Amino acid sequence: MCEQSNDAEHVCLCPLEGIIDTIGRKWSLLVVNAIGNRGRLRFNQMMDELNGISPTTLADTLKELQREGLIKRESFAEIPPRVEYSLTKDGIQLRRAILPLLRWASTRSTATKRKCATAYRKMPAHRVERI
Amino acid sequence: MCEQSNDAEHVCLCPLEGIIDTIGRKWSLLVVNAIGNRGRLRFNQMMDELNGISPTTLADTLKELQREGLIKRESFAEIPPRVEYSLTKDGIQLRRAILPLLRWASTRSTATKRKCATAYRKMPAHRVERI
DNA sequence: TGTGCAACTCCAGACTTCATAGTTTAAATG
DNA sequence: CATTTAAACTATGAAGTCTGGAGTTGCACA
């Protein structure tokens, strides 16, 4: 624990202690990115975008992100009911911090696998880049 | 699956499909950063730096990162045996891509919790920044 | 009456992580 | 000669997380 350490050279990683259980979840960062991608997103839209996530996990992840103040949930009293998720200020900053990681993942994937290459060429840059 | 989609507008996240099981692990990114932080690191050094990880998890994570070509393992025939881990070229790029995320985590942590503030002030910048 | 939508919840089984204890090897120590 | 030490793990059993699919709720619309 760094609060007990008096070694000035010690590299303390404990800023992550509070947040690791949130952003360490398998899908957290991708959920944040997906929401930031579109501005606002609904549950089933996320299910479509995040290929492979289960509704249970998505629900858990959304609750956790909301608890940490990274996303905002708004529900509208309509029939059928509608719920929209968007990023908070903190969430927007997190999303900005994730972008290099996602770019790394894309370049790696296209370099090593060559799958989805055409789909990528088709995709307008602002879809990935814009906040 | 994006390879079957002919919708040019569809935002495809499948570059992540191959890598999500690796970087989606709870400690993967922190392990990569810890190694990059120091250049090369040994098992027990990582156990010290990554506060909270268990040896089982660390071993699994290292194997997975190695399998994906992100880190390199070198063992020396000494007594007691010594093993050192370092980043590959790919790993170095990944680490670069992670830095904004870690910086976000630090600012958030100091802003919201005010723990470890002195420890952070003590820490020389190059310990976090250098590759 | 019946179908459909939206946002979930529930469940069982699989996978991941946790904490702690133990293994291996041989030099160094008592 | 017996014990200790050190590093890098492995073993174990329990707890937490993820998966995939089915079910829930409430009301509009056919």
Side-chain angles (χ1 to χ4, degrees):
Chain A
M1 296 297 174
C2 68
E3 53 267 40
Q4 290 151 9
S5 163
N6 46 11
D7 172 10
E9 290 283 271
H10 180 234
V11 175
C12 167
L13 284 177
C14 64
L16 289 154
E17 277 183 16
I19 202 70
I20 180 114
D21 290 327
T22 303
I23 65 173
R25 300 186 86 132
K26 184 169 178 183
W27 294 94
S28 285
L29 299 182
L30 294 184
V31 167
V32 168
N33 180 62
I35 298 175
N37 237 3
R38 305 269 199 176
R40 22 186 66 239
L41 260 193
R42 305 166 65 169
F43 192 92
N44 287 338
Q45 288 178 312
M46 288 188 226
M47 288 296 295
D48 291 341
E49 298 230 356
L50 305 171
N51 212 283
I53 198 173
S54 73
T56 316
T57 305
L58 179 54
D60 288 352
T61 303
L62 288 172
K63 265 175 207 145
E64 178 71 22
L65 290 172
Q66 200 188 344
R67 215 172 56 76
E68 288 293 324
L70 296 168
I71 65 175
K72 186 172 51 179
R73 192 192 114 117
E74 292 171 274
S75 74
F76 301 86
E78 301 173 358
I79 298 301
R82 176 167 56 105
V83 176
E84 287 187 350
Y85 295 89
S86 55
L87 299 181
T88 62
K89 276 190 179 177
D90 246 24
I92 290 172
Q93 295 202 335
L94 170 55
R95 159 143 153 105
R96 255 191 220 119
I98 295 167
L99 285 175
L101 179 56
L102 295 178
R103 284 199 208 99
W104 171 85
S106 329
T107 62
R108 176 180 162 88
S109 147
T110 53
T112 59
K113 293 209 214 140
R114 285 265 156 240
K115 273 162 63 175
C116 306
T118 56
Y120 266 92
R121 237 170 280 133
K122 277 183 197 166
M123 180 170 52
H126 72 275
R127 293 297 229 162
V128 172
E129 302 291 345
R130 95 180 155 82
I131 299 167
Chain B
M1 297 298 173
C2 68
E3 54 267 41
Q4 288 152 8
S5 162
N6 47 10
D7 172 10
E9 290 283 271
H10 181 234
V11 174
C12 168
L13 285 178
C14 64
L16 289 155
E17 275 182 16
I19 202 69
I20 180 122
D21 291 328
T22 302
I23 64 174
R25 299 187 87 130
K26 184 169 177 183
W27 293 94
S28 285
L29 299 182
L30 294 184
V31 167
V32 168
N33 180 62
I35 299 175
N37 237 3
R38 305 267 200 175
R40 22 186 65 238
L41 259 194
R42 305 165 67 168
F43 193 91
N44 286 338
Q45 289 179 312
M46 286 188 229
M47 287 297 294
D48 291 341
E49 298 231 357
L50 305 171
N51 211 284
I53 197 172
S54 74
T56 317
T57 304
L58 180 54
D60 287 352
T61 303
L62 288 171
K63 264 176 207 144
E64 177 72 22
L65 290 172
Q66 198 187 345
R67 217 172 54 77
E68 287 293 326
L70 296 168
I71 66 175
K72 186 173 50 179
R73 193 192 114 116
E74 292 171 274
S75 73
F76 302 86
E78 301 172 354
I79 296 300
R82 178 165 56 105
V83 177
E84 288 186 349
Y85 295 89
S86 55
L87 298 182
T88 62
K89 274 191 182 178
D90 245 24
I92 290 172
Q93 296 203 334
L94 170 54
R95 159 145 153 103
R96 255 192 219 117
I98 294 168
L99 284 176
L101 180 55
L102 295 178
R103 284 200 208 98
W104 171 85
S106 329
T107 62
R108 176 181 162 88
S109 146
T110 53
T112 59
K113 293 209 214 139
R114 285 265 156 241
K115 275 163 61 174
C116 306
T118 58
Y120 264 91
R121 235 170 280 131
K122 278 182 197 166
M123 179 172 52
H126 72 275
R127 293 294 229 163
V128 172
E129 302 291 344
R130 94 181 156 80
I131 298 166

